Amino acid sequence: MKRPDDRLLPVLPAAAQALVWPGVPLLRGEVPSGAHLLAAALAALLVAGALTLRRERPVAALAATAASIALVAGALPTGATAVLGTVGPAVALHAVAARRDGWTAVLSAATLALWQAIWMVSLHGLGERDGLDLALTAVLYAASCGWGMRGRRLRLAAAAAATRLHRTESERDRLPAVERRRMERELHDVSAHHLTAVVVSAGVAEGLRDKRPELRAEALALAVSSGREVTAALGAVPEPVDAAADSAEPYERVIALLDGIRRLGQPVVHKLVELPGGAASEAAFGIVREALTNAVRHAPGAATEVSCRPEQGGHVLVVRNGAPPEDSTSAGQLGGGRGRAFLAGRAQEVGGTVRGGPT
């Protein structure tokens, strides 16, 4: 919100006062004395100088304005500071209400009104019109204070709206990148897992061609099925499937995964005391899948154990494998060698860490 240019506002009370006094007496042919004119000019300069501080130090500007009027008003005729002594403090009070909290604004307004009443009564006494003048002055101060408080609320609301808009724009730019990273990670996990299954199954089928021809067809069928799953996963990348569509419980999904790994010839046992729920369950499943895929790829035939237990408000998930048999053959490097980075990314999303190494 663009702030209006009010740099000339400090001189407006002085200009208005000059029109009332000495302007009106001069029109009637009454020429004020030089001492009175000098005192009036001094008061105008003091008030204008105090009002220039209203943005940085509004309370101090209000006190300085009231004190400047009181300093010279006693030496001037009645009415010589009428406008300057009411409009000047009202402008300073508006600044207090616009830049300080509501309690400070109300306390300043009440203090100013009380000071104005004491000052007027002590200076000129209490006449017939003084009650009306005091009431009008109080109304002016109340209006100035209320207007300033309204401006403060509007400014704070505009700042809050700007902050929300900035946050929304940041999220708009960030969320597509987050979704791309999620899809990339999911594609890596799924494709690496199933392509490993294809390689291992094809190798088993080739090895059983002469020894166990009746199992060769089963191994080839498993390789074909895994290849189709990879194709389906790749086809889902442009339009990701809603994660809520998978209604299986975390324990059931992990058990099904372990069964699939066993069909690849990898002996796997589990000790699943408790699996995490919510968003962490998806991360846990992805970590188990990636770790088992790595075990099949780099340590085929090795005894593998999957365990998960609660600990200190979270869960400890461990996938450990032994040394592979001497006659086993590694499935090679599939997936680009970024599995550990993806594992770390999944764990970090749910506030966890990944520790690992050869076993």
Side-chain angles (χ1 to χ4, degrees), residues 98-324:
R99 288 166 176 78
R100 294 294 183 266
D101 58 275
W103 170 250
T104 302
V106 172
L107 182 61
S108 298
T111 303
L112 179 62
L114 180 61
W115 161 256
Q116 193 82 11
I118 295 174
W119 175 67
M120 290 181 63
V121 171
S122 62
L123 188 63
H124 304 293
L126 188 62
E128 296 180 357
R129 292 178 53 88
D130 288 340
L132 179 60
D133 291 342
L134 288 174
L136 293 177
T137 301
V139 171
L140 174 64
Y141 291 162
S144 178
C145 183
W147 187 258
M149 295 173 69
R150 177 181 178 274
R152 178 174 180 269
R153 287 195 298 269
L154 292 177
R155 188 173 64 255
L156 292 177
T163 300
R164 291 194 297 269
L165 178 61
H166 178 72
R167 186 183 301 116
T168 301
E169 291 177 348
S170 299
E171 288 294 306
R172 182 189 62 187
D173 296 335
R174 185 183 66 85
L175 290 179
V178 172
E179 181 63 15
R180 284 194 300 271
R181 287 194 297 270
R182 186 195 68 80
M183 293 172 63
E184 178 183 304
R185 183 184 60 244
E186 190 66 22
L187 178 59
H188 167 274
D189 291 352
V190 173
S191 60
H193 175 72
H194 291 299
L195 286 175
T196 298
V198 170
V199 173
V200 172
S201 299
V204 171
E206 182 66 21
L208 296 175
R209 180 175 55 182
D210 298 326
K211 299 179 181 179
R212 300 288 300 276
E214 69 278 7
L215 298 179
R216 183 170 180 268
E218 182 179 348
L220 289 176
L222 179 59
V224 172
S225 175
S226 298
R228 288 174 178 172
E229 291 181 7
V230 174
T231 303
L234 292 174
V237 170
E239 186 177 355
V241 179
D242 188 1
D246 190 354
S247 60
E249 294 294 328
Y251 182 84
E252 297 174 356
R253 297 183 65 194
V254 174
I255 293 300
L257 176 63
L258 298 183
D259 291 340
I261 293 296
R262 292 190 187 99
R263 287 198 299 270
L264 297 177
Q266 191 82 0
V268 182
V269 296
H270 69 83
K271 296 180 181 178
L272 304 177
V273 178
E274 179 184 306
L275 288 173
S281 65
E282 186 66 28
F285 179 79
I287 290 172
V288 172
R289 180 175 59 192
E290 177 66 21
L292 291 177
T293 299
N294 289 338
V296 173
R297 186 189 310 158
H298 302 296
T304 307
E305 179 185 274
V306 179
S307 63
C308 185
R309 67 181 187 277
E311 183 176 300
Q312 297 179 353
H315 291 78
V316 175
L317 178 61
V318 179
V319 180
R320 180 184 292 109
N321 65 268

Side-chain angles (χ1 to χ4, degrees), residues 50 52-63 92 95-96 99-100:
T52 57
L53 302 175
R54 69 189 187 282
R55 295 190 184 280
E56 293 79 14
R57 304 179 65 182
V59 177
L62 176 60
V96 173
R99 288 166 176 78
R100 294 294 183 266

